[in-house]
Amino acid sequence: MFAAVDQSIMDVLKHKCFLEELLFWTIKYEFPQKMVTFLLNMLPDQDYKIAFTKTFVQHYAFIMKTLKKSHESDTMSNRIVHISVQLFSNEELARQVTEECQLLDIMVTVLLYMMESCLIKSELQDEENSLHVVVNCGEALLKNNTYWPLVSDFINILSHQSVAKKFLEDHGLLVTWMNFVSFFQGMNLNKRELNEHVEFESQTYYAAFAAELEACAQPMWGLLSHCKVRETQEYTRNVVRYCLEALQDWFDAINFVDEPAPNQVTFHLPLHRYFAMFLSKAVKCQELDLDTILPDQEMLMKLMIHPLQIQASLSEIHSNMWVRNGLQIKGQAMTYVQSHFCNSMIDPDIYLLQVCASRLDPDYFISSVFERFKVVDLLTMASQHQNTVLDSEHERSMLEGALTFLVLLLSLRLHLGMTDDEILRAEMVAQLCMNDRTHSSLLDLIPENPNPKSGIIPGSLSFESVLSAVADFKAPVFEPGGSMQQGMYTPKAEVWDKEFDPVMVILRTVYRRDVQSAMDRYTAFLKQSGKFPGNPWPPYKKRTPLHPSYKGLIKLLHCKTLHIVLFTLLYKILMDHQNLSEHVLCMVLYLIELGLENSPEQESDEEESAGGQERCHDSWFPGSNLVSNMRHFINYVRVRVPETAPEVKREPPASTSSDGLASSQSSRRKSLQRENSGTAQVFSLVAERRKKFQEIINRNTSEANQVVRPKTSMKWSAPGATPQLTTAILEVKESILSLLIKLHHKLSGKQNSYYPPWLDDVDVLIHPEIPRYSHGDGMTAVERILLKAAVQSRMNKRIIEEICRKVTPPVPPKKISSAEKKTLDKEERRQKARERQQKLLAEFASRQKSFMETAMDVESPDADIAMEVATSEQHVSEAIYDCVICGQSGPSTEDRPTGLVVLLQASSVLGQCRNSTEPKKLPTTEEEQIYPWDTCAALHDVRLTTLQRYFKDSSCLQAVSIGWEGGVYVQTCGHTLHIDCHKSYMESLRNDQVLQGFSVDKGEFTCPLCRQFANSVLPCYPGNNVERSIWQSHSNKCMQDLVQEVEDLQEQLGTFPVSISSETNLSKEMESVMKDIKSTTQKKYTDYSKSPGSPDNDFLFMYSVARTNLELELVHRGGNLCSGGASTAGKRSCLNQLFHVLAMHMRLYSIDSAYNPWRKLTQPMQDKNSELISEELPEVPVLYRDVSSLLLIQILTMPQPLHKEHFTCIIKVLFTLLYTQALAALSVKCSAEDRMAWKESGALKKNTSSGEKSWEVLLGHVISELSKGKIYEEGETEELTVVNPDSVERYLQQFCLPFLRITSLLQHHLFGGDLPSCQEDEEFTVLASCLGLLPSFQSAHQFTSASCLDWPVPAFDMVSQWCSELASFADRHPDQVKALLIQEPKWDLPRLLQLPENYNTIFQYYHRKTCTVCTKVPKDPAVCLVCGTFVCLKGLCCKQQSYCECVLHSQNCGAGTGIFLLINASVIIIIRGHRFCLWGSVYLDAHGEEDRDLRRGKPLYICKERYKVLEQQWVSHTFDHINKRWGPHYNGL
């Protein structure tokens, strides 16, 4: 096989110099990295470069042998290519080595030898006698792609024109190369399993497809790129010549005669594809005459067999006929058409079939197609038949497959005349019609020339300009469910209108469902644009004109065999024979339309009868032109049918009217026959085909008689006796035109629905391109075809008019007898079942969607049914709850309490508020560090610590609230359940091991109704939980009485409706939920007292939980109550229930009446000095206490349910304190002169009647009282800008607003009633009147905040008493007095850090940054988006007590919630407690796509909308509900 030169290539090496020795040992030791670097470093020296290259080439065979033996072939491959790419990419050097060292010979021979080691005998066709050998795809050499470095070198040198020229001119090399390619011809043969499922699914097909693409197709594309001009014709002739020789050898070796072996298929025919691609190039670029390079007819007949076998097998695979071969066979069918392979596999195959079809006898070709697809037996006019080679359930899809293949074959113009730009456009439209696509997936899906050197896409127009011509960009948006869309391209309207091409879509779909998806989208477009309301059929699209070389393809459309098939199918569809579908009709009409569009020019209407005579051996049709055959009436057809068929039972020529047939619900058999002038002859597709084939072979060879052994189809016949066949004669009396018109009636369901449009408007015949025919269903298609037929021939027009005049007899409604019901086609029943199932699923999905909308939509009125209590009655009976587990409704009782499904989570969101409106930026330089001094949490911490230094601990712990960091937030989905039902539900979850992402042992579960994540149940307090008489007239009791009542109520702590002493189920549950609440957050966030475990601590924690939830609700409402309404929280709020639980526990701690803050607020004290003498630290002065905290303490220690009047009383008293605090803070801000002025002006008005309700008087009083201590002496203060009455009033209102907001929310939850909405500047007045602080509405201009004051005891006494506490403190610690005064709180809403516009800014700064803990550069750096801390993800270096750094940070920074940006992946990861999830990316490229892991390396820009959503989810604590894919992190992040 090989010349002497080849042998020497593989011989033993003889070394002559040190370089050769060095290289030899480098190879021997599998290219150690240091040696590779050493050898490469000297390449700049020109002489060394040449010497080294020659040495490298000389050792090529040795490299191959070492590579084959290597265990680390991957590493070695990379290093070989590392060297060779430096040597062979240089054209000059490559040419020189080619000339001097026979580089091409060496490479081809080495590749050949390499493959020879893994050859096996081919089993294709003739298993026993085959002489053909193929590579074994199971060998490591192919499985591991070991050959790729050598192939890639070969592809690399072929990219140089001078080297490729040498290759294409060298006949010996071409022979060797074709030899190499033939090793892959027919590899990985699939044999159809007919009995049981294959035991082991081989995955060798990966190797096979990769090998054909890399070892055969890529070198082919490389060679093709040098055959672009006329001067290169000679090269094409050489390749085609040796390719055909190799093919002839292959046919001989596998012993091929005329029939492919049944039930086997190989997808690998590289020789066929070489031949096809060079033919295509020859016609497209080199102006070669196709006929001069095509082989004889016999060879063409052989050439078409295997590619056609593949097309038929694709159809079989999709019809589930290969199901016993496992999934891998579907994988092969998909890979064959997949975007990276299609233009090296299916496209050349279809092109080759088009070439064969254009040169062979059309009748022969058409019969071959139907025989290959095994549906010949179905093509009978009889209503029943037997198919010897195909089960009845597969017939329908195989017939669809055959017709679809013919449509593809006759419609595609990829190699038959389209320019590269048109191809690119058609490919792009097809992909976009299936689905909206991202830019990167489009790039991936458009088949590109696989040779990397050829540039992405040929043609003058670039990818981008075509894209912008056919598609619109849809910016990335959000779905309500929280799933994030990428930026997508969607087809423009005019593309749907004019360019949607179902044929191209069918060719390019990997999954069948994509064709449906394209049709659904097309339907939606037509509905939306009002072009067609119903279910449209695939539109007919005009084709690019054929290149003259391929005109012969048109003959297929104008051959009798095809016309007989079309006539038969139309007839069968009209007669409702079984196993036909709308798809079959659609394809039949498509073929008729193609034939009308491409009619042979010369034949005119009148003279066709003369020419058609001599080939009228079959009397179906007179000629071969579809235009004239359409009107040819066929009267009688003789059919072979089983004796049981209905046709047999009648006398032959009797009135075989159509209804007798229509009622018979089945169909088929043996040969198509027709009646002419009384004699019926048999016309058999198969027999005709055999005859043609034998004629040709006899013409070509003298000894053909021995060769042709007619193979019967008996070897596929089903076991068991086939029923006897008999002959019957059918009366048909139809033509294609009459069948079409009747079909129109049938489709429309109306008689005479077709009326020729030209009778009303002759213009249609002159301008037949009417838009109304371009989109529509089957009726539109029939109308379009009839119009075209009429336009093409006057005779047709006349006959159409005649047919329409005869009133057609009505098609009788089908009556189905019970016997026939059983034979109702299985497939149809399945189809119906499928449709039913789809409908049910769709209905279910929409139901679920609407449920989710009501459940998720915060404004929806239905969601709170469970919580809402009938509002109509004034004195409401008990609240009724529905249990979502057992479905019963009833009140919550002490024995069987009901609970709300809640999620408790620790939150530090409030602590992240800052007192500046400017958001903090994520640091991207060393200077921009963030210090957490100005956060809300830090300031509250400092305040508490300072208070604890100077005052008594227990009193400090009631002067503030905690929970700014690590506070417990409680949220509910609003559904309730019996607590005992919940326990059994948890038990069942515990036993069910298949859990998704939550831990039952930690009490986590999902709400049984809405599947929202939850971890506890909050018991509902029995009885009416809302006192409904909201706007009751204020009772006539005076303030003093009320104050006294409140005090008495606080004293009688022990007596409550639910007494703790009697352990009821309810109290147990309340205790357990309290435990849950405590354990939700870490100990460091609950323990603030100096003496650990003191009850004061618990007390503080409990009212702070209430505070945290109120403050967070305020944040969710945007920081103020201007929007009013029940808003988000009202619907799903569990504050009411939470209050009961907290109150019950707070009342366990009795407040010593001596220290009861209520007394200090409402009664002047007698002896002021007694306390100061005692040793211990004093209590916190009232003016230093946080009023909102005092409010919660007062409310929660009162017996429940609380009366509205007592609530209002408490607010009024606290408001006096708050106001005094505001005045004190204000007085410190004034300058000394201002203070003097206020003091005097206040003193003047002091005795007026409304003195107690004037801020001037009160301010004067506060200043004079405070001046007694050393308060004002310390240095100068920052001054208020202007001290005029207006600014003072504004300051006082702003100071009091936060308290009013919290109080209004509290009132809303305890007593119901909506919050009024208002403008921002009215907020103070509206809330004050809503709380009952404003006695009556005064006109706005004379309104002052002081008019809300309602002093229970003389104002000046109280103020003096409060101020004196400060004065005495100032004497001891003058430096601290001012610092501790409560300042006006101005917190901005919590925000995440602001991110830079461009991702590169972040990446450059952080990806080399060293970790502060371990001072190494982390492998996976991450940064916290809440506080900007830089952490190592998964870094073991920073692990502390088995917690990795991110988890640790999420606990310290967010009390268990962490939001981290992974620097090297651009994605955001959320840690929530023990779970984590990938959130997605907030950085998208210019096309609106994520680039996870930065694989594509595109510049990324911030997507503000996505970042807003992330921030929104963080603030509203909804990560758990919106993100679905959670997993445990085992502290390893």
Side-chain angles (χ1 to χ4, degrees), residues 257-258 690 693-694 697-698 703-710:
V257 187
D258 63 342
R690 295 255 192 290
F693 194 75
Q694 285 169 354
I697 294 188
N698 291 334
E703 65 279 28
N705 309 341
Q706 295 93 53
V707 184
V708 179
R709 43 176 201 279

Side-chain angles (χ1 to χ4, degrees), residues 359-378:
R359 295 300 185 275
L360 290 171
D361 179 273
D363 295 298
Y364 169 78
F365 191 90
I366 295 281
S367 343
S368 302
V369 170
F370 286 107
E371 196 181 351
R372 256 328 115 251
F373 279 83
K374 304 181 180 175
V375 287
V376 174
D377 297 342
L378 169 62

Side-chain angles (χ1 to χ4, degrees), residues 903-1082:
L903 173 64
L904 310 172
Q905 50 181 316
S907 158
S908 294
V909 172
L910 285 174
Q912 292 302 332
C913 300
R914 298 173 185 273
N915 54 9
S916 66
T917 44
E918 195 49 41
K920 282 274 187 282
K921 290 188 169 61
L922 177 76
T924 47
T925 58
E926 286 303 331
E927 293 76 59
E928 299 179 341
Q929 293 315 324
I930 293 181
Y931 303 105
W933 297 329
D934 60 346
T935 62
C936 175
L939 289 166
H940 276 97
D941 249 11
V942 171
R943 180 172 176 83
L944 179 57
T945 345
T946 320
L947 285 173
Q948 284 178 312
R949 258 179 46 213
Y950 300 111
F951 302 107
K952 189 166 145 197
D953 202 42
S954 61
S955 126
C956 291
L957 294 182
Q958 287 178 38
V960 293
S961 293
I962 54 170
W964 307 100
E965 264 188 311
V968 179
Y969 179 57
V970 188
Q971 56 181 326
T972 175
C973 57
H975 296 123
T976 49
L977 29 74
H978 289 123
I979 291 181
D980 48 2
C981 291
H982 171 246
K983 290 198 169 121
S984 52
Y985 174 58
M986 290 305 282
E987 215 35 64
S988 70
L989 283 183
R990 207 166 267 120
N991 303 334
D992 180 15
Q993 284 312 304
V994 201
L995 282 178
Q996 339 82 352
F998 55 82
S999 136
V1000 182
D1001 300 332
K1002 297 193 168 69
E1004 295 172 353
F1005 61 101
T1006 52
C1007 168
L1009 185 57
C1010 65
R1011 294 282 164 235
Q1012 191 160 306
F1013 183 69
N1015 58 11
S1016 188
V1017 177
L1018 193 58
C1020 300
Y1021 195 75
N1024 158 28
N1025 39 1
V1026 177
E1027 185 183 315
R1028 276 290 157 184
S1029 38
I1030 304 164
W1031 300 103
Q1032 86 236 70
S1033 55
H1034 292 298
S1035 63
N1036 314 327
K1037 300 179 188 164
C1038 66
M1039 185 74 168
Q1040 274 71 19
D1041 298 349
L1042 282 170
V1043 168
Q1044 192 51 50
E1045 278 180 28
V1046 170
E1047 187 176 334
D1048 297 345
L1049 282 169
Q1050 287 184 351
E1051 296 297 311
Q1052 51 163 55
L1053 276 174
T1055 54
F1056 289 108
V1058 181
S1059 62
I1060 306 299
S1061 52
S1062 62
E1063 277 284 314
T1064 60
N1065 286 339
L1066 180 67
S1067 59
K1068 279 191 203 128
E1069 288 313 325
M1070 288 197 163
E1071 261 169 69
S1072 89
V1073 80
M1074 199 62 225
K1075 275 202 197 82
D1076 286 349
I1077 292 178
K1078 270 215 181 77
S1079 61
T1080 300
T1081 187
Q1082 297 155 47

Side-chain angles (χ1 to χ4, degrees), residues 15-25 35 38 55:
H15 291 154
K16 302 189 187 62
C17 67
F18 180 54
L19 178 58
E20 294 175 0
E21 200 64 43
L22 260 185
L23 185 61
F24 174 82
W25 291 106
M35 283 304 297
F38 171 65
T55 312

Side-chain angles (χ1 to χ4, degrees), residues 192-198 201 316-330 393-394:
R192 182 169 156 218
E193 295 289 334
L194 296 170
N195 302 319
E196 52 249 31
H197 195 287
V198 59
E201 284 201 30
E316 292 179 4
I317 291 166
H318 286 302
S319 308
N320 289 335
M321 289 166 64
W322 287 69
V323 68
R324 294 197 173 97
N325 287 55
L327 276 177
Q328 56 94 24
I329 193 79
K330 277 215 152 137
E393 71 206 62
H394 298 138

Side-chain angles (χ1 to χ4, degrees), residues 91 94-95 98-99 104 154-174 219 222-236 238-239 278 286:
E91 177 154 10
R95 192 186 51 74
T98 308
E99 284 168 5
L104 282 166
F154 184 56
I155 295 167
N156 197 358
I157 61 166
L158 285 184
S159 66
H160 305 312
Q161 183 133 18
S162 49
V163 180
K165 261 194 167 122
K166 265 197 128 32
F167 182 82
L168 290 164
E169 284 162 0
D170 186 329
H171 293 227
L173 268 177
L174 282 173
L223 292 169
L224 283 168
S225 63
H226 301 297
C227 299
K228 284 188 181 137
V229 286
R230 196 174 174 162
E231 292 68 51
T232 52
Q233 287 186 353
E234 205 38 54
Y235 301 154
T236 305
N238 289 341
V239 175
F278 275 92
Q286 299 173 320

Side-chain angles (χ1 to χ4, degrees), residues 1368-1438:
S1368 63
F1369 173 63
D1371 292 342
R1372 286 163 298 164
H1373 307 284
D1375 48 339
Q1376 291 298 332
V1377 175
K1378 282 186 195 164
L1380 283 172
L1381 264 181
I1382 291 178
Q1383 293 303 318
E1384 170 196 7
K1386 251 197 199 150
W1387 297 113
D1388 194 33
L1389 293 175
R1391 306 275 285 277
L1392 293 176
L1393 299 175
Q1394 203 178 354
L1395 296 180
E1397 185 63 32
N1398 196 324
Y1399 189 68
N1400 200 28
T1401 321
I1402 298 183
F1403 185 75
Q1404 291 307 338
Y1405 176 61
Y1406 283 106
H1407 90 117
R1408 308 294 316 140
K1409 186 173 156 77
T1410 52
C1411 168
T1412 41
V1413 185
C1414 58
T1415 65
K1416 293 202 273 286
V1417 173
K1419 188 166 128 309
D1420 281 320
V1423 61
C1424 168
L1425 291 182
V1426 178
C1427 67
T1429 308
F1430 181 69
V1431 288
C1432 309
L1433 180 77
K1434 302 184 195 154
L1436 300 176
C1437 46
C1438 301

